[in-house]
Structures are given as structure tokens and as C-alpha cells.
Amino acid sequence: MDIRIGQGSLRNEDIVAWVRRATEAVAVYYGRFPVQRARVIVNQNEDKDESIHGTTWGDVQGVQGLTRMRLGSAVTKADLEEDWTITHELVHMALSSLPDESHWLEEGIATYVEPIARAQANQLPVEQVWAGMVRGMPEGEPRPGDKGLERTHTWGRTYWGGAMFCLVADVQIRKTTGNRKGLQDALQAIVAAQGTIDTEWPLSRVLDTGDRATGTTVLVDLYRKWKDAPIVVDLDQLWQQLGVRVGSRGIELDANAPLVSTRRAMTSPPKQR
């Protein structure tokens, strides 16, 4: 990992630690960092705010993945320690560049995997993973007039609609395989087949590669249903099945829920399953 830091008020060692934490989380989730050669460029601008923004490209400047992070001048070390943005950006390196109409899967995977990867790396409490999903997933539900994920490209449908596709796929894969496999196995297989950001695969190849790794047809079947039609997910029922509920003190996890083993497997490091 090549880290290049521009001028700013933050200490270089704090920025390097921030990048390394994100790298470690992504490596835990995928079993290794997705690409062999990556570069992260960090610049702190003069905007007097605490914004953190990132963009990631493939096959640029002689590296497989290039991430450029832009920090507001008010960003502190504490902000970096709580940040999710860079992990989201580095997850993008683990998936082939897809056609524009399939951008929802690129952003959906990054949105879904980021908190889970951080939890698996012991960087984020599990309750915060589910709190973020309970809060964010409704943003992905189709609005009146919306169509399928390949045809409606609003912010909510792209990021959270794509993340909801991943959530439903993860649960269905685990149900189908008796919790032996999950979406994580599918995504690891795509990386192992070199379907990373420096390549351009058709979406069909991505989905087929993932399905072969789990021994199911979940990804292809879900895609056929969701690509054109505005599918509505009963999130309340799904949270109940997983044992995720909002209590007086925040998220509470039910140890007796029907899919408790599925929920635990989704956020546990592979070696602990």
C-alpha cells in the first residue's frame, strides 16, 4: 500500500494509522487485501469543516486501485478514528468495474460490507453495525414511480437499495446452505478470480462467480427479480427474524431469534465461526 499525504494540520502518523485500520478491516473480510498494488492519496483542503470524502478508481497511475481522500481542515484525529468513509472506498477495490447501469452493486457492496468488515476486525461494536442498517436500509426502498435497481439510479436506490440486495442475498445464502456459506464467501471468490477494480467484467460473470462459490443460485435469482421491478422488502419481519430490535437504549440483539446464528455469523471473523 502506497500512502501519499499532502499538506495539512493532521499528523502524518495519524493519517497513516487511519489508512492502515481500513486496510486491515478490508483484509479481514476478504481474507487478504483485494489487490497487490494500491495507492491512497490524502489531501487536507482549506474548507473549514469536518468533511471526509473519497473516490476510488481502477488501473490508474500504474496501480490496480487508486483512492483519493479529501479532508476538511477541521478534521481531527478523533474524526479519523470514527470514520467509515475510507473503508467504504477501499472495499471498492474488491469488485470489478461494472457498467454504469450496475453501479448500484458497486456502491451497495461497499455500503453493506464496510461496517461488517470493521466489526470483524474489532473496530466497530456489532450493535453499531445493526443500528446503521436499521437506520439506513429504508432509504433503499423503492419510492412511487421507481423501477428496478438497473433502471432507477437515485442516491437511495444506488447505495442503500444495493446494500439491501446484499443483505437479503446474505441471509438467503445462509438459509440455503445451512449457514455454511454467506455473501462473504461469494465476494471472496470474486476477488480470488481477479474480479477486482482494475478489471471490467460483465455483471453476469460477477454473479455467476459468486454463486459457484456458495453452491447456490441466490445472486442470479435475486438479480433477475430486482433488476427491473421495484421489490419491497419486509424489513420489520427481517429484523425480527434476525433478532435486531430498537430498544429504549438503542439496538438490542435477541439471543433467541430464529436466525440468531445467521446474524452472528455475518459479523463474526471467519476463524470464530
Side-chain angles (χ1 to χ4, degrees):
M1 175 71 70
D2 177 12
I3 304 172
R4 300 187 179 183
I5 304 171
Q7 295 296 317
S9 59
L10 289 163
R11 296 189 308 171
N12 284 2
E13 53 263 43
D14 293 334
I15 292 177
V16 170
W18 169 59
V19 175
R20 284 180 175 167
R21 279 195 301 273
T23 302
E24 290 166 2
V26 173
V28 167
Y29 187 88
Y30 286 95
R32 62 177 176 85
F33 196 74
V35 297
Q36 292 183 343
R37 297 193 64 201
R39 177 173 298 149
V40 176
I41 299 174
V42 182
N43 289 304
Q44 193 167 18
N45 57 43
E46 297 180 356
D47 296 337
K48 299 184 183 301
D49 59 33
E50 299 175 356
S51 63
I52 301 176
H53 299 290
T55 311
T56 300
W57 301 270
D59 194 19
V60 179
Q61 298 180 6
V63 295
Q64 292 170 278
L66 170 66
T67 292
R68 185 181 297 275
M69 301 300 302
R70 299 172 299 282
L71 311 179
S73 63
V75 171
T76 65
K77 176 183 176 182
D79 294 327
L80 295 182
E81 290 173 346
E82 296 181 359
D83 173 63
W84 57 268
T85 313
I86 190 169
T87 308
H88 176 106
E89 289 302 323
L90 295 184
V91 170
H92 278 307
M93 295 192 187
L95 183 68
S96 173
S97 297
L98 298 174
D100 288 346
E101 65 270 18
S102 302
H103 188 54
W104 61 269
L105 186 61
E106 295 177 354
E107 295 297 349
I109 287 174
T111 300
Y112 180 72
V113 167
E114 169 264 313
I116 293 177
R118 292 168 66 204
Q120 290 186 359
N122 295 316
Q123 298 176 10
L124 187 71
V126 171
E127 290 81 3
Q128 288 190 34
V129 175
W130 295 110
M133 290 196 186
V134 169
R135 182 174 58 251
M137 288 295 173
E139 297 287 347
E141 293 282 22
R143 303 296 193 262
D146 281 357
K147 301 185 187 303
L149 293 175
E150 295 269 296
R151 302 179 65 187
T152 298
H153 304 296
T154 59
W155 173 85
R157 294 290 279 157
T158 298
Y159 286 79
W160 284 105
M164 190 154 46
F165 176 93
C166 293
L167 171 64
V168 172
D170 205 350
V171 172
Q172 288 195 10
I173 291 169
R174 294 183 183 282
K175 282 184 176 180
T176 302
T177 64
N179 212 27
R180 292 180 296 101
K181 300 285 186 178
L183 182 64
Q184 187 168 6
D185 298 280
L187 298 181
Q188 286 181 352
I190 293 166
V191 169
Q194 300 182 342
T196 47
I197 194 169
D198 53 315
T199 67
E200 293 184 4
W201 284 14
L203 181 57
S204 59
R205 183 178 177 185
V206 170
L207 301 177
D208 287 341
T209 300
D211 275 343
R212 282 197 302 273
T214 64
T216 72
T217 59
V218 168
L219 294 177
V220 169
D221 292 345
L222 274 183
Y223 171 69
R224 288 172 178 165
K225 293 177 182 178
W226 290 47
K227 68 185 182 74
D228 295 317
I231 301 298
V232 176
V233 176
D234 189 340
L235 288 170
D236 289 340
Q237 182 182 51
L238 182 56
W239 302 140
Q240 183 180 19
Q241 291 285 305
L242 290 168
V244 177
R245 59 173 178 248
V246 180
S248 59
R249 297 184 178 180
I251 290 295
E252 298 175 353
L253 301 178
D254 183 0
N256 298 307
L259 296 179
V260 63
S261 60
T262 292
R263 186 194 74 222
R264 288 172 174 167
M266 290 162 71
T267 55
S268 298
K271 62 183 179 181
Q272 295 182 13
R273 295 175 191 163

